[in-house]
Amino acid sequence: MEIKIDDLSGNEVAVLISEHLQGMTEHSPPESIHALDLSQLKKPDITFWSAWEGNDLLGCGALKELDPQHAEIKSMRTSSAHLRKGVAKRLLQHMVDIAKERGYKRLSLETGSMDAFEPAKRLYESFGFQYCKPFSDYVEDPNSVFMKKEL
């Protein structure tokens, strides 16, 4: 698996982000969807990675810098054809490693509270993320859970 910084210009990535946004729409009410679209993911405070095996897109993930010591995990998604193969685990480890290299002291994330998000929550828990109060501009929401990891 090759994980690389991606400029979000490829069709495969656009399709995966569209799939991600559609999945959020299926499982969360509109006011509780915090997923970013392609244009938002291209902002300078965000680094976006894609994971590939040859020409096959396996998944993606991003880090959004909130301040010089704190970043947020965004847009974690595994292609539906590659679920349960360790793609998300490898991407998450890559982003944790990069966050440490950059000198961040904390990683945070928001994900859904519904059953569809249980695999994601288990993954984050396995990496030592703990549940916390909303961070940054988030507010309490019964459809969201917030997690953090001190680095």
Side-chain angles (χ1 to χ4, degrees), residues 5 21 26 84 102 114 122 131 143:
I5 292 177
L21 293 170
E26 290 172 10
R84 318 274 182 277
R102 290 180 178 179
M114 292 67 88
R122 284 194 304 272
Y131 293 94
N143 299 301

Side-chain angles (χ1 to χ4, degrees), residues 68 110 133 148:
E110 178 276 338
K133 297 286 185 191
K148 68 177 180 177

Side-chain angles (χ1 to χ4, degrees), residues 14-72:
V15 169
L16 186 59
I17 294 300
S18 178
E19 181 183 315
H20 181 59
L21 293 170
Q22 180 62 36
M24 298 302 106
T25 303
E26 290 172 10
H27 299 291
S28 302
E31 67 276 8
S32 297
I33 297 174
H34 304 288
L36 303 177
D37 64 22
L38 281 174
S39 66
Q40 293 168 312
L41 286 166
K42 291 180 181 179
K43 291 186 176 177
D45 58 345
I46 294 177
T47 305
F48 183 89
W49 289 273
S50 55
W52 299 83
E53 198 164 85
N55 293 325
D56 202 8
L57 177 61
L58 307 179
C60 63
L63 280 180
K64 177 181 180 181
E65 184 172 294
L66 301 176
D67 67 48
Q69 296 188 26
H70 188 193
E72 178 182 5

Side-chain angles (χ1 to χ4, degrees), residues 70-122:
H70 188 193
E72 178 182 5
I73 294 174
K74 299 293 293 181
S75 302
M76 282 284 297
R77 184 69 178 202
T78 300
S79 169
S80 55
H82 297 284
L83 294 172
R84 318 274 182 277
K85 295 180 182 178
V87 174
K89 184 176 181 178
R90 292 272 305 274
L91 274 164
L92 184 56
Q93 185 63 61
H94 181 78
M95 290 191 291
V96 168
D97 292 345
I98 295 293
K100 288 178 181 177
E101 287 174 16
R102 290 180 178 179
Y104 295 135
K105 303 296 184 209
R106 176 184 295 160
L107 279 178
S108 299
L109 63 93
E110 178 276 338
T111 193
S113 63
M114 292 67 88
D115 289 346
F117 298 95
E118 283 303 315
K121 290 185 279 189
R122 284 194 304 272

